[in-house]
Amino acid sequence: MAEGDKTKSCLKEDDEMVDIMYSGKTLWNKILRLDEECTKKLSFCAMLDSSFGRLRPFMKLLEISCHGIPWYLCTIAGLMMAYRPENIEVLMNLLIGLFLDITVVGLTKVIVRRARPAHNQMDMFATISVDNYSFPSGHASRAAMLLLFFVKKVFSPGSMWCYLMWVWSVSVSVSRVILGRHHILDVVAGFLIGICQYYVLLQFWLPASLCISILEPYLGHFHL
């Protein structure tokens, strides 16, 4: 093959590669635009004067119910009051799961840096700098992780508490869009991340004996 033909062939391959990359970028941009448009239509409670703005206080209660701070405080308080090894085991692993969740979500938010929906009101409860970013939804990831944790490790299978946990978890996740806090893809991704986090937690589950040995130096000082 002549040198000129080789050069033309290489240029043609480069052009094809650029076209493929551009097409992929264009498709992703279209998906994001569709996500933003659908999110805007579903944000019924984004503002008080929205179509269902009167439900905004209830949505904010759901928001607080899945916030990290209450869950951390309640879990730590439970550990300080727990005496039975099986309770210490569950609470210790729950605390690890909560730490895993905030780490994974926080790092992902910093890497992706997707802005929150334009119609979001920045009146969220106890936020930090990474909460300015939208992807993924930390509430959805936490709700999914807690759902599996309690259904599989705490509540009896098929009990009323399992069904209530499902209702709560799904309600929290859906409310993130309705309240205008997140895009739909943020919530879907967050929920899937939460499911993955639970199964990762299972792989590193600490038995009761190890939990007690870890906490023993502290329980004598702080146990209620």
Side-chain angles (χ1 to χ4, degrees):
M1 185 183 290
E3 190 68 30
D5 292 338
K6 287 184 178 179
T7 302
K8 289 180 181 178
S9 177
C10 290
L11 289 173
K12 185 177 179 181
E13 289 177 0
D14 289 344
D15 289 341
E16 289 175 352
M17 185 62 68
V18 169
D19 289 341
I20 291 171
M21 292 175 65
Y22 180 77
S23 299
K25 187 176 180 181
T26 302
L27 176 62
W28 180 241
N29 287 336
K30 287 181 179 178
I31 292 173
L32 291 179
R33 282 199 298 271
L34 179 62
D35 183 33
E36 290 170 359
E37 290 171 4
C38 293
T39 297
K40 190 174 182 179
K41 291 178 181 178
L42 293 175
S43 299
F44 308 127
C45 302
M47 291 173 283
L48 286 173
D49 59 352
S50 299
S51 54
F52 289 89
R54 62 186 178 278
L55 295 178
R56 187 174 172 81
F58 173 70
M59 295 297 165
K60 293 190 71 173
L61 280 177
L62 280 174
E63 178 176 75
I64 295 172
S65 74
C66 196
H67 194 281
I69 291 178
W71 280 96
Y72 279 115
L73 293 177
C74 290
T75 304
I76 293 171
L79 278 170
M80 293 173 66
M81 295 184 289
Y83 284 93
R84 298 173 64 181
E86 58 269 29
N87 292 341
I88 293 174
E89 177 184 353
V90 168
L91 289 165
M92 184 67 176
N93 283 283
L94 174 58
L95 188 61
I96 293 171
L98 291 170
F99 275 120
L100 173 65
D101 176 67
I102 197 172
T103 302
V104 171
V105 171
L107 287 175
T108 307
K109 283 178 181 284
V110 169
I111 292 170
V112 178
R113 293 175 178 265
R114 186 184 192 186
R116 288 188 180 271
H119 49 272
N120 174 50
Q121 303 295 302
M122 291 302 291
D123 58 351
M124 294 178 289
F125 172 73
T127 59
I128 56 177
S129 58
V130 294
D131 290 320
N132 292 322
Y133 304 121
S134 187
F135 185 93
S137 167
H139 278 72
S141 68
R142 193 176 300 113
M145 190 270 290
L146 291 171
L147 167 65
L148 291 175
F149 189 97
F150 279 87
V151 166
K152 293 182 176 292
K153 291 292 183 179
V154 179
F155 301 140
S156 301
S159 69
M160 178 190 69
W161 293 108
C162 289
Y163 295 113
L164 289 177
M165 198 69 196
W166 270 102
V167 171
W168 173 81
S169 180
V170 173
S171 297
V172 167
S173 301
V174 172
S175 73
R176 305 312 289 159
V177 176
I178 295 176
L179 197 53
R181 301 297 198 209
H182 289 281
H183 303 93
I184 296 170
L185 286 180
D186 305 337
V187 173
V188 173
F191 205 88
L192 292 175
I193 288 172
I195 293 173
C196 293
Q197 286 174 164
Y198 171 74
Y199 287 105
V200 169
L201 179 63
L202 282 187
Q203 301 304 310
F204 298 94
W205 187 270
L206 303 184
S209 57
L210 182 55
C211 293
I212 292 172
S213 65
I214 292 172
L215 294 173
E216 197 169 12
Y218 309 100
L219 290 179
H221 299 285
F222 301 104
H223 206 276
L224 300 179

